[in-house]
Amino acid sequence: SNINFGSSQEIPAPGSWRGVEDRATGRVTIQDAQVSYADTGLLVNGGTIDLLQRLVVNRSNVGVDLVGSSPATPLAEMTIRNTGIAVRASNSAATIQNGNIEGSSFGVQNLSPSTFCIDAQNNWWGDPSGPSGPVPAVGCETQQAAGTGSPITEGVLFGAFLSTPSDDLDAIDCDDGDGINDPCSGGNTVGCDDNCCLVANPSQADADGDGVGDACDGNPVLRVSSDPIDLPDFGVVQDAVVAAFQSGT
């Protein structure tokens, strides 16, 4: 099942809490989790990543920060959006694949490009043209990232990038192609749009019926008034806020 890590503040913002951290001799196994409003979604400083799959980081200063940690397995199917830096690596080598890296000031920042390589091929960078970046002078990548998607630094392999966003790989398409915005609800999984494209949720469970699947429903709360007479209007506003949170807008 999906696990959500977020801020306890009533009005959260990026950096509202430190985030998930693994240091020194720690080991990381994360699958189907979401982190929001953190300073760093996941910091691995000298620790070991055994498994990192389908991590979603949204509205944080840094998505994933690798410091002296070179995972032996790919960081797969991650979705990192609306961050200052999606992935930052120092003295670390890693493979990042089949993910969505968009809406970030930096997609992948390799702080040690002369000695370490980040293989970030087969990812969606927020635009069909691929990532953007400078002409490399050092590092494992010799071609310039000439797209208009999230920027990368030197020392980041980007070839064979995805021209459309990576789906969550469950059986329900993000868009069923009927031209109607009709998220799955009531247990229906046929003839409707995936109600949580960021995380695999084959059941399409939506306990509160707001059109945002339980796997993506972070339940952010917008409080405008404490007057009971206003309560009937809050449901409509709340659902709009949740939908925006899920979509990353």
Side-chain angles (χ1 to χ4, degrees), residues 89-136:
S90 176
N91 297 321
S92 303
T95 297
I96 305 164
Q97 63 186 23
N98 299 322
N100 299 310
I101 301 173
E102 55 186 318
S104 299
S105 299
F106 256 109
V108 178
Q109 185 180 51
N110 186 352
L111 299 179
S112 310
S114 297
T115 50
F116 289 89
C117 182
I118 303 297
D119 185 345
Q121 301 181 88
N122 299 306
N123 291 288
W124 165 252
W125 299 93
D127 190 90
S129 62
S132 57
V135 176

Side-chain angles (χ1 to χ4, degrees), residues 92-203:
S92 303
T95 297
I96 305 164
Q97 63 186 23
N98 299 322
N100 299 310
I101 301 173
E102 55 186 318
S104 299
S105 299
F106 256 109
V108 178
Q109 185 180 51
N110 186 352
L111 299 179
S112 310
S114 297
T115 50
F116 289 89
C117 182
I118 303 297
D119 185 345
Q121 301 181 88
N122 299 306
N123 291 288
W124 165 252
W125 299 93
D127 190 90
S129 62
S132 57
V135 176
V138 297
C140 54
E141 180 59 78
T142 59
Q143 301 297 314
Q144 180 181 10
T148 59
S150 296
I152 60 175
T153 63
E154 297 173 304
V156 178
L157 295 173
F158 67 90
F161 51 82
L162 301 181
S163 59
T164 58
S166 176
D167 200 354
D168 56 17
L169 303 182
D170 61 25
I172 300 92
D173 292 331
C174 286
D175 184 347
D176 64 356
D178 62 4
I180 302 172
N181 180 20
D182 53 351
C184 298
S185 62
N188 183 32
T189 60
V190 179
C192 53
D193 302 336
D194 192 330
N195 63 23
C196 177
C197 276
L198 304 182
V199 181
N201 61 330
S203 71

